[in-house]
Amino acid sequence: MVCSAQGGGLDKGMWQYLWRMYFRVSLRHNPVTGKHSGYYRLVESYRNTLGRVCHRTILSVGFLDGLRTDELNRIQKGLNERVQGLGNELFAHDCDPRIQAYVDDIYEQIVAKQRLDIHRKPSQTKDWQTIDMNSVRNKNVREVGAEWLCYQAIRQLGIDTFLENRDWDDDDVSLAMTHLISRAVYPASELKTSRWIKENSAVCELTGFEINRITKDALYRISHKLFAEKEALEKHLSCRTNELFDLQDKIMLFDLTNTYFEGEKLHSSLARYGRSKEKRNDAKLVVLALVINPEGFIKYSTLFQGNKSDSTTLPHIIEKLRKATSTGAGKALVVIDAGIATQDNLKLISEKGYDYLCVSRSTLKEYTVNSANNQVVIHDKKHRTIELCHVQANESTDYFLRVKSQGKEHKERSMNSLFKDRFEEGLQSIQNSLSKKGGVKKLEKVHERIGRLKQKYPSIHRYYQIDITSNEKNIVTSISWELKPITDPDHTSGIYFLRTSILPENEIIVWTFYNIIREVENTFRTLKTDIDLRPIFHQNDDATMAHLHLGLLAYWLVNTIRHQLKKADIRSGWSEIVRIMNTQKCLTTIAQNKHDEIINIRRCSEPEEKVKLIYTALKYKHAPFTRKKSVVLKPTPKKILSPQNKSIIRI
């Protein structure tokens, strides 16, 4: 039994379903215990055709001694999901068997006593109506596919249950889910997001939050409230994904990225000028540091000022890392890039009980090859050779692996050739200036130009011998240059060294472990591009941190979905997945029958084949609901007594 209303506060005649079941309790004498205790009735709340909220007792459940308030709420939620067609197959693992037994028993009583119209499946019955075909029209068409995908990921991760256990009220939990789904599906400002929720998306139908209460201020508020739960929520998600996907956290990847601000940020303590990875040196930055596992799930995250260098961030992170990992994790391997791998940082990692793997910051000059037969040759995806060789550094006890990559060699040779040409062009330009009227000829100025040229090409100038000839007036008369003898800029092209504190079984293990760090690059790419963390428009630091934290939470949903899809060999990017899922819509069909009654049917469209493939791979339900139907009865004439002639007027 589901009723809806037209008018009565609903915008432009839009109809909606406002229905739920809940427990109502009263004190009664319990003949079993001989004491007064709570007697529970299951009550439904709905709107009638006049828009008035009504209540009706569905079932007298009886005494439920021994159940806590949170357990009653879980029973109530399970019953609502059952009746609304959500089922319990997907989320059965979240339920206590005792709670599930209560849900099953009460549901069976409702069906047996025919208290709700749910005992017959649509395939077993027919609902015949004679309608006026000219009255059929569709309206309120909304996107639902991507939203439903993210909603089920939230339930799978237990984010809603976590917030409820943190004493969040139902409205804030629903609003948080709404904002989080919106951030994953349609990353935009709070103003644009509120418009999208109201005009394009069916997300509020999934979360249960009243759509007319969506405002940009409400979204701002819930973002800040979510950020206040950052540490506990991050730990919950870390443990939850470990349990869901049987992850051990034996390898940790640490890296940093930065994103820039639009605006001056005059009073910010977080925004600073620094080296932008997007080449936005004109804008202030904030640095985002992440520790993730090889599957791409975040173990710990934090923000630094924009001028923070890579090598100085690790001590802060390493102090927090053990708390963020699961208690069962052993001695983890921390994989870092060369920019962070200073000698002090490597020592710190070892002191904290971790192993490390990194690219050596300097090319080894003195080393010995342990065996003539230990060279291993593998191939990359483009069938280019990669030579791996274990070497022993003369001044270190660490394990070093020399890597010679054919692809990297070609790239570095091309870059060296380009830099050589440009460096020589610069020298030629300085030389040509000596013979021009008004050209730079003074010795001091010529040295300045050559110094700036060397600064521009630091990797190539050391291979050149530059000679300058000047007269007694310090006027340069000639410049000459040549490559230094017995030097070749390309002699180390394609060669680098991996360094680790572990003793692996073979060279391929070290190479495989290090290549996992590319998962960090994929994470940053998803955050910046798909979830749109750049640029930041917020003007105060609290809003900035809340904005970035919301993006990280959205990334949890994205990675949870993509991790499971990869196992099914579906490797599409997130933007492509959203595009595919958006082909599933929900819409309202309105028709008038022969009794002049208005029939409203809310349905989800049948998923396309690609959408079905994604749902099946994730073991998610294919639609949030099959059909919601309501009938607005033909209005009956009202009797009004005219005060003038006391006659009855029918309208």
Side-chain angles (χ1 to χ4, degrees):
M1 176 180 177
V2 179
C3 296
S4 65
Q6 283 188 318
L10 298 179
D11 296 339
K12 300 181 180 179
M14 183 190 302
W15 63 275
Q16 60 182 349
Y17 293 93
L18 298 171
W19 177 87
R20 70 184 183 95
M21 296 186 297
Y22 61 93
F23 285 118
R24 180 174 286 177
V25 63
S26 59
L27 287 177
R28 289 189 184 184
H29 177 75
N30 189 340
V32 176
T33 61
K35 300 179 181 179
H36 279 78
S37 56
Y39 185 87
Y40 291 87
R41 291 176 295 146
L42 191 63
V43 178
E44 69 169 343
S45 173
Y46 65 93
R47 286 189 186 274
N48 63 15
T49 56
L50 300 178
R52 181 178 298 172
V53 177
C54 301
H55 306 275
R56 181 174 73 93
T57 299
I58 297 176
L59 187 68
S60 294
V61 180
F63 298 99
L64 296 176
D65 295 332
L67 289 176
R68 302 189 307 272
T69 302
D70 64 309
E71 293 175 327
L72 289 168
N73 289 336
R74 289 165 64 187
I75 295 172
Q76 173 184 309
K77 180 181 290 187
L79 287 169
N80 279 291
E81 290 175 355
R82 275 289 195 90
V83 174
Q84 293 173 10
L86 297 179
N88 68 335
E89 296 82 7
L90 175 62
F91 309 113
H93 59 270
D94 289 335
C95 296
D96 188 303
R98 187 168 65 105
I99 301 300
Q100 193 60 46
Y102 275 107
V103 173
D104 294 340
D105 179 61
I106 296 174
Y107 180 79
E108 291 302 325
Q109 292 185 53
I110 294 173
V111 173
K113 296 180 180 180
Q114 299 184 4
R115 301 301 296 166
L116 293 173
D117 187 18
I118 58 176
H119 62 288
R120 292 181 296 178
K121 296 182 179 179
S123 58
Q124 297 173 331
T125 186
K126 296 179 180 180
D127 185 6
W128 293 99
Q129 293 281 350
T130 302
I131 64 171
D132 178 7
M133 290 300 298
N134 294 326
S135 68
V136 177
R137 63 188 188 276
N138 295 315
K139 71 172 188 177
N140 199 17
V141 181
R142 301 295 184 92
E143 296 172 353
V144 74
E147 290 87 336
W148 178 231
L149 197 71
C150 292
Y151 178 83
Q152 295 185 86
I154 287 178
R155 298 294 304 278
Q156 189 176 16
L157 291 171
I159 295 176
D160 55 336
T161 305
F162 169 83
L163 297 178
E164 290 169 359
N165 292 338
R166 302 284 288 187
D167 295 328
W168 282 42
D169 59 48
D170 291 344
D171 274 356
D172 279 354
V173 173
S174 298
L175 180 58
M177 294 170 65
T178 302
H179 198 11
L180 185 52
I181 293 171
S182 302
R183 187 71 203 177
V185 178
Y186 182 78
S189 67
E190 279 71 11
L191 179 60
K192 288 185 178 179
T193 299
S194 64
R195 293 173 182 169
W196 175 79
I197 292 173
K198 291 181 177 181
E199 300 173 7
N200 299 89
S201 175
V203 62
C204 283
E205 294 185 51
L206 305 179
T207 62
F209 192 81
E210 295 181 23
I211 196 169
N212 57 357
R213 293 173 57 195
I214 292 289
T215 63
K216 65 178 181 62
D217 293 330
L219 298 180
Y220 276 125
R221 180 185 65 81
I222 207 65
S223 294
H224 285 75
K225 190 170 182 179
L226 277 170
F227 180 67
E229 304 285 353
K230 177 185 179 297
E231 187 172 346
L233 185 53
E234 205 167 61
K235 186 175 182 179
H236 162 78
L237 292 172
S238 175
C239 295
R240 180 65 179 155
T241 50
N242 284 5
E243 295 168 359
L244 282 174
F245 307 119
D246 193 23
L247 308 179
Q248 300 299 321
D249 287 345
K250 292 183 178 180
I251 301 177
M252 298 295 175
L253 314 175
F254 173 60
D255 206 354
L256 302 97
T257 189
N258 53 44
T259 183
Y260 60 92
F261 293 90
E262 291 290 359
E264 296 183 0
K265 299 285 289 185
L266 296 176
H267 306 292
S268 171
S269 60
L270 194 63
R272 291 288 187 271
Y273 286 108
R275 182 175 176 271
S276 171
K277 297 184 185 294
E278 288 88 24
K279 310 301 181 185
R280 284 298 304 269
N281 297 323
D282 62 315
K284 291 184 178 180
L285 310 173
V286 63
V287 172
L288 172 64
L290 292 183
V291 178
I292 70 172
N293 61 14
E295 290 75 22
F297 292 105
I298 300 171
K299 299 286 107 178
Y300 182 73
S301 66
T302 191
L303 296 176
F304 294 107
Q305 292 178 334
N307 57 357
K308 193 83 168 177
S309 65
D310 290 1
S311 60
T312 60
T313 58
L314 188 64
H316 173 82
I317 293 293
I318 210 70
E319 291 290 339
K320 301 288 185 179
L321 183 55
R322 177 59 67 182
K323 296 179 181 179
T325 57
S326 61
T327 55
K331 188 175 182 180
L333 174 67
V334 179
V335 184
I336 54 180
D337 212 343
I340 309 169
T342 63
Q343 191 63 38
D344 289 341
N345 281 342
L346 297 182
K347 182 180 179 182
L348 175 65
I349 292 174
S350 296
E351 290 175 350
K352 294 299 180 180
Y354 296 95
D355 286 315
Y356 55 80
L357 173 60
C358 63
V359 174
S360 178
R361 288 172 66 91
S362 59
T363 302
L364 293 182
K365 297 179 180 179
E366 297 182 1
Y367 61 87
T368 56
V369 179
N370 288 346
S371 172
N373 299 322
N374 76 336
Q375 182 169 297
V376 177
V377 178
I378 59 176
H379 295 84
D380 62 14
K381 293 181 180 179
K382 296 183 179 180
H383 307 290
R384 296 173 299 193
T385 60
I386 299 174
E387 299 175 6
L388 308 175
C389 181
H390 174 211
V391 300
Q392 180 65 50
N394 295 345
E395 298 180 356
S396 176
T397 58
D398 283 351
Y399 180 100
F400 284 86
L401 183 70
R402 186 184 67 188
V403 182
K404 185 175 182 180
S405 169
Q406 187 181 50
K408 187 177 179 66
E409 180 181 4
H410 289 166
K411 177 182 177 181
E412 291 182 354
R413 283 181 179 273
S414 298
M415 292 175 62
N416 286 339
S417 177
L418 178 63
F419 292 157
K420 283 172 59 180
D421 292 342
R422 291 181 176 176
F423 185 71
E424 291 182 2
E425 287 174 3
L427 292 174
Q428 187 64 50
S429 176
I430 295 172
Q431 185 185 54
N432 294 339
S433 181
L434 301 178
S435 59
K436 292 181 180 179
K437 183 179 180 180
V440 176
K441 302 172 186 176
K442 289 187 177 181
L443 182 61
E444 181 182 354
K445 296 296 183 181
V446 171
H447 276 298
E448 287 181 4
R449 291 190 66 181
I450 293 176
R452 287 195 294 268
L453 191 62
K454 288 181 177 181
Q455 186 180 23
K456 191 173 182 180
Y457 301 102
S459 63
I460 206 72
H461 74 80
R462 64 179 181 270
Y463 297 104
Y464 281 84
Q465 176 67 42
I466 303 174
D467 297 316
I468 302 175
T469 304
S470 61
N471 57 25
E472 64 279 0
K473 295 182 179 181
N474 287 333
I475 300 298
V476 177
T477 56
S478 66
I479 300 175
S480 61
W481 60 89
E482 62 179 354
L483 285 171
K484 294 179 181 178
I486 321 177
T487 57
D488 180 11
D490 297 323
H491 74 285
T492 60
S493 295
I495 297 176
Y496 58 97
F497 294 84
L498 299 182
R499 178 180 182 179
T500 179
S501 59
I502 64 174
L503 185 62
E505 296 178 5
N506 54 60
E507 293 80 2
I508 296 179
I509 290 179
V510 178
W511 170 252
T512 303
F513 281 174
Y514 180 72
N515 275 273
I516 296 174
I517 203 169
R518 289 182 171 82
E519 188 62 41
V520 179
E521 299 171 3
N522 295 332
T523 298
F524 288 145
R525 189 179 304 112
T526 300
L527 284 169
K528 289 184 174 182
T529 303
D530 294 336
I531 304 180
D532 200 24
L533 284 190
R534 62 178 180 188
I536 301 173
F537 293 93
H538 298 283
Q539 294 304 306
N540 62 71
D541 288 348
D542 289 342
T544 296
M545 292 187 289
H547 163 80
L548 293 173
H549 178 248
L550 185 68
L552 293 177
L553 288 180
Y555 172 77
W556 276 99
L557 304 186
V558 172
N559 199 61
T560 299
I561 293 168
R562 292 194 65 205
H563 175 72
Q564 297 173 90
L565 291 179
K566 287 175 185 177
K567 292 182 178 179
D569 202 28
I570 300 175
R571 301 184 179 276
S572 301
W574 178 243
S575 298
E576 177 66 8
I577 293 173
V578 171
R579 184 197 66 79
I580 293 171
M581 298 305 301
N582 279 343
T583 60
Q584 188 177 24
K585 316 282 185 182
C586 63
L587 71 158
T588 301
T589 300
I590 301 174
Q592 185 174 354
N593 66 11
K594 65 179 181 180
H595 303 297
D596 291 335
E597 297 171 336
I598 303 299
I599 301 173
N600 296 310
I601 301 176
R602 186 72 168 165
R603 300 188 71 104
C604 286
S605 64
E606 289 289 330
E608 302 287 342
E609 287 303 319
K610 289 184 178 180
V611 177
K612 286 183 180 179
L613 189 64
I614 291 174
Y615 280 137
T616 303
L618 295 169
K619 298 180 182 179
Y620 285 175
K621 292 185 70 66
H622 289 199
F625 55 86
T626 304
R627 186 185 69 168
K628 295 179 180 179
K629 175 185 173 184
S630 68
V631 178
V632 180
L633 303 178
K634 179 182 178 181
T636 57
K638 297 181 181 179
K639 296 180 180 180
I640 301 178
L641 189 63
S642 172
Q644 287 81 10
N645 52 15
K646 304 296 183 179
S647 61
I648 294 177
I649 302 174
R650 294 184 181 273
I651 60 172

